[in-house]
Amino acid sequence: MHQLKALIFDVDGTLADTERDGHRVAFNRAFAGAKLDWSWDVETYGVLLQVTGGKERIRYFIERFQPAFNVPADPDGFIRELHQSKTRHYVELLHSGAIPLRPGVERLLNEARSAGLRLGIATTTTPENVTTLLTATLGSQSIDWFDVIAAGDVVPEKKPAPDIFLYALREMHLSPAECMAFEDSENGLLSSIQAGLKTIVTVNGYTRNDKFDGAAIVLDQLGEPGSAFNVIAGNAGNANLVGVQLIKRLFET
Ligand code: XBP
Ligand code: MG
């Protein structure tokens, strides 16, 4: 039996509900700034979320929903610049405090550190988005709580491919059998499971109807004292929030 050594977190939808009021809004601001009459409403964005990665999402949108769009001579450069503008808007939104951490995240990070567990991040989003979210919510010192921030284009294939979790494991010199992953989406869970990681899922508005076969447990949130999680699938015993004790129990099951 392996010992639990580290927790590896997804960011978007897991650490914070960033998609609807963060990334989506930033994409729309970038479109307006580029004089494009594209606007992603809440429902449309839910469909587009099936494609992970902002640049990939823009490309998919053009191909699927804007067949008549006059693609510039350098499509990659066009998408890259549009996405850079989106990142600037997103970072600005984070700095304004628009996106808080999800319930239980700060509590769990502190508890895990006190228990001697190492922390890592494996995400599809741009690295700057992660460090800005951490700085805006927990202070810039929190960046050092994580042994690795594996993000964005450092791997060839984004989630649902396992690449980003495998990269994080390599950087941490850990095997998947020594870690627990945290995810919020089907694409994220496919990625972590294919990397060999047991995974705790906390769903959000966009992912509650996703498939989570193979998750260690599926919950609506991590929970706080006085505000218990609801179990969607799996067995939490008598726990009502996700702490090191429950994580160890799920890890050993
Ligand atoms: C997150 C994503 C990201 C963000 C946008 O997926 O799909 O693309 O929506 O970030 P996950 P960028 O939570 O599974 O990692 O625009 O910086 O790519
Ligand atoms: Mg996610």
Side-chain angles (χ1 to χ4, degrees):
M1 167 64 69
H2 289 274
Q3 202 196 328
L4 178 67
K5 294 200 176 137
L7 310 182
I8 307 182
F9 291 87
D10 168 50
V11 175
D12 295 302
T14 301
L15 292 186
D17 248 326
T18 52
E19 296 291 6
R20 195 191 67 181
D21 301 329
H23 290 293
R24 184 185 67 87
V25 172
F27 280 112
N28 285 335
R29 288 184 183 169
F31 299 155
K35 307 256 179 303
L36 294 160
D37 65 351
W38 306 341
S39 178
W40 291 353
D41 62 30
V42 170
E43 200 185 331
T44 305
Y45 193 65
V47 175
L48 297 172
L49 274 176
Q50 286 162 18
V51 178
T52 61
K55 293 188 287 293
E56 294 80 354
R57 195 168 297 144
I58 294 170
R59 186 182 304 275
Y60 173 80
F61 173 75
I62 295 169
E63 287 168 4
R64 174 81 201 276
F65 294 96
Q66 298 291 329
F69 178 63
N70 210 343
V71 183
D74 173 15
D76 290 351
F78 166 74
I79 290 173
R80 196 170 48 243
E81 270 181 39
L82 194 54
H83 187 255
Q84 279 165 356
S85 160
K86 177 260 168 179
T87 299
R88 285 194 293 275
H89 285 291
Y90 181 67
V91 162
E92 206 176 285
L93 270 167
L94 291 177
H95 277 307
S96 77
I99 312 285
L101 295 179
R102 291 192 67 185
V105 169
E106 182 170 3
R107 173 191 56 73
L108 177 58
L109 294 177
N110 284 321
E111 198 187 312
R113 293 178 71 230
S114 300
L117 292 175
R118 296 167 62 196
L119 303 176
I121 278 177
T123 175
T124 292
T125 202
T126 305
E128 194 184 346
N129 296 348
V130 184
T131 49
T132 308
L133 176 71
L134 292 174
T135 302
T137 54
L138 296 166
S140 57
Q141 80 291 344
S142 63
I143 295 167
D144 296 332
W145 299 356
F146 296 88
D147 288 359
V148 62
I149 296 181
D153 297 323
V154 290
V155 288
E157 285 216 50
K158 293 188 173 163
K159 299 174 186 177
D163 303 24
I164 198 71
F165 278 103
L166 295 173
Y167 177 94
L169 289 167
R170 268 198 310 276
E171 292 289 307
M172 294 175 88
H173 303 286
L174 289 171
S175 88
E178 297 172 308
C179 306
M180 180 68 86
F182 291 78
E183 271 292 352
D184 71 300
S185 69
E186 186 172 350
N187 278 327
L189 179 66
L190 285 168
S191 173
S192 60
I193 282 186
Q194 288 183 88
L197 288 152
K198 284 197 172 165
T199 307
I200 293 174
V201 173
T202 48
V203 302
N204 59 59
Y206 274 131
T207 65
R208 63 170 50 113
N209 295 320
D210 282 8
K211 283 205 212 72
F212 294 115
D213 299 340
I217 197 163
V218 184
L219 306 165
D220 66 339
Q221 54 161 314
L222 293 175
E224 291 279 32
S227 171
F229 55 52
N230 290 303
V231 179
I232 295 165
N235 183 356
N238 56 7
N240 47 29
L241 53 75
V242 176
V244 171
Q245 207 184 0
L246 175 60
I247 296 171
K248 284 192 171 159
R249 196 177 339 131
L250 292 167
F251 179 78
E252 283 157 17
T253 307

